[in-house]
Amino acid sequence: AVAALVAVTLITLPFQTAPAAKDFTALFDAVRPLQTASGQVFCTATQIDKKRHFWLTAAHCVTHGGELFIGDAPALILHMLPVEDGDMAILYSELATAPSDVRMSKTPPRRGDRITVIGFPAGIGPIVTQGYVGNPRVLFTYYNEWLMSLDVSICGGNSGSAVLNSKGEVISVLTRYHYPRPPCMALAGGPPWAQLVSFAHEYFRR
């Protein structure tokens, strides 16, 4: 395959500080594996409203036609943007429980902002990784899609993970690898913040 190169400009602006270690407990508590009935983990889901039982993930994680489970609880697709139009999905699961949820950021990210991703890379986790916003909106030529470029370590299984800013608020969703891809890598992409807001704002806890 022909490699599609995404240029990330290094900058010298001061980075936002990452969440303190004590804050990770609540973030971990909002994340669950998306898996098959047999327990095979293939993606990540993040709870965005625990009272209404809404979860955020990537659309390509839920279009395989099989049954969906958040942890060991069955889940239904409530709202979805197709892979080619944004690749996001809202799931509903009355039985899936997590003690916390995450909110959507009210402000767009900037180049160099610190990010946190919590998910199930290679089906293992939850695991936290941290990185930076490379560009809030840039053309990934391999996919011919405008995405937020993310400098963060990910593997298969991280798809659907919420991308969190330094306040622990959602700014995007992990949906893309940079090609050609090794098993794990450090350049990824997700829908721009404005597209996330347009698609999912009514499903987040207010």
Side-chain angles (χ1 to χ4, degrees):
V2 178
L5 299 179
V6 179
V8 178
T9 303
L10 295 178
I11 62 177
T12 57
L13 294 175
F15 294 123
Q16 294 183 3
T17 57
K22 63 182 177 62
D23 296 329
F24 285 132
T25 299
L27 299 181
F28 269 100
D29 284 345
V31 176
R32 293 290 183 269
L34 196 58
Q35 59 192 49
T36 64
S38 63
Q40 180 181 359
V41 177
F42 56 88
C43 279
T44 300
T46 304
Q47 188 166 237
I48 57 176
D49 191 323
K50 63 181 181 180
K51 290 184 178 179
R52 294 188 292 171
H53 314 289
F54 294 160
W55 297 74
L56 177 68
T57 190
H60 74 259
C61 293
V62 300
T63 55
H64 52 77
E67 291 182 290
L68 297 173
F69 289 81
I70 298 173
D72 57 1
L76 301 173
I77 301 170
L78 186 65
H79 183 40
M80 185 170 66
L81 276 181
V83 173
E84 64 275 12
D85 292 329
D87 198 1
M88 291 180 282
I90 303 297
L91 305 182
Y92 173 84
S93 179
E94 188 173 352
L95 298 179
T97 58
S100 62
D101 51 22
V102 294
R103 295 189 178 189
M104 177 185 290
S105 173
K106 295 181 179 180
T107 57
R110 302 170 299 175
R111 293 179 180 90
D113 281 357
R114 191 70 179 262
I115 59 171
T116 296
V117 172
I118 302 174
F120 292 83
I124 303 167
I127 290 175
V128 61
T129 59
Q130 291 189 298
Y132 303 96
V133 175
N135 194 323
R137 189 174 184 270
V138 66
L139 181 64
F140 272 47
T141 52
Y142 185 92
Y143 300 102
N144 194 31
E145 292 177 345
W146 289 91
L147 301 169
M148 184 187 303
S149 68
L150 305 164
D151 182 6
V152 63
S153 178
I154 63 167
C155 293
N158 270 125
S159 285
S161 297
V163 181
L164 308 168
N165 63 15
S166 62
K167 297 178 181 179
E169 300 167 335
V170 183
I171 59 169
S172 189
V173 185
L174 279 175
T175 60
R176 293 287 185 267
Y177 302 105
H178 176 61
Y179 277 80
R181 60 183 175 94
C184 298
M185 56 193 319
L187 184 58
W193 173 81
Q195 190 173 27
L196 170 74
V197 172
S198 176
F199 168 73
H201 70 93
E202 65 183 284
Y203 296 96
F204 275 79
R205 176 172 60 90
R206 291 169 173 79

